[in-house]
Amino acid sequence: MKKIQINTEYITLGQFLKMINIISSGGEAKYFLLENDCFVNDELENRRGRKLYPNDKIIINNVKYLIYA
């Protein structure tokens, strides 16, 4: 599991995808989420604006991430 640190209260799923270098711009998030399964706390998620908080678990392409502050 990869741990990703944030310095704010939360980040959006689109920002997260950009932070971990899966996409290169925020506009790509919508299309990435249409074509790839992304789970947030074991629930399928397709909203790029979904807020991610510390202790949230994200799974993208079978890679697990943990958000922490």
Side-chain angles (χ1 to χ4, degrees), residues 1-2 6 21 27 31-32 36 38 50 57 59 66 69:
M1 180 177 291
K2 297 181 180 183
I6 61 172
N21 295 318
Y31 303 104
F32 177 85
N36 298 275
C38 176
R50 165 74 187 258
K57 296 177 181 89
I59 301 173
L66 175 68

Side-chain angles (χ1 to χ4, degrees), residues 2-68:
K2 297 181 180 183
K3 295 183 179 181
I4 306 296
Q5 183 175 13
I6 61 172
N7 298 319
T8 57
E9 181 183 355
Y10 66 87
I11 62 170
T12 65
L13 182 55
Q15 290 170 326
F16 176 77
L17 292 172
K18 192 172 175 185
M19 178 184 284
I20 61 173
N21 295 318
I22 287 184
I23 60 173
S24 59
S25 71
E28 294 177 30
K30 178 179 179 180
Y31 303 104
F32 177 85
L33 293 171
L34 285 173
E35 297 177 0
N36 298 275
D37 287 341
C38 176
F39 294 89
V40 176
N41 298 325
D42 297 320
E43 293 180 12
L44 186 60
E45 186 59 67
N46 61 7
R47 298 174 294 163
R48 64 183 176 184
R50 165 74 187 258
K51 294 177 182 176
L52 304 175
Y53 295 93
N55 297 318
D56 279 349
K57 296 177 181 89
I58 299 94
I59 301 173
I60 302 170
N61 296 329
N62 294 321
V63 179
K64 298 177 183 181
Y65 301 91
L66 175 68
I67 303 289
Y68 75 97

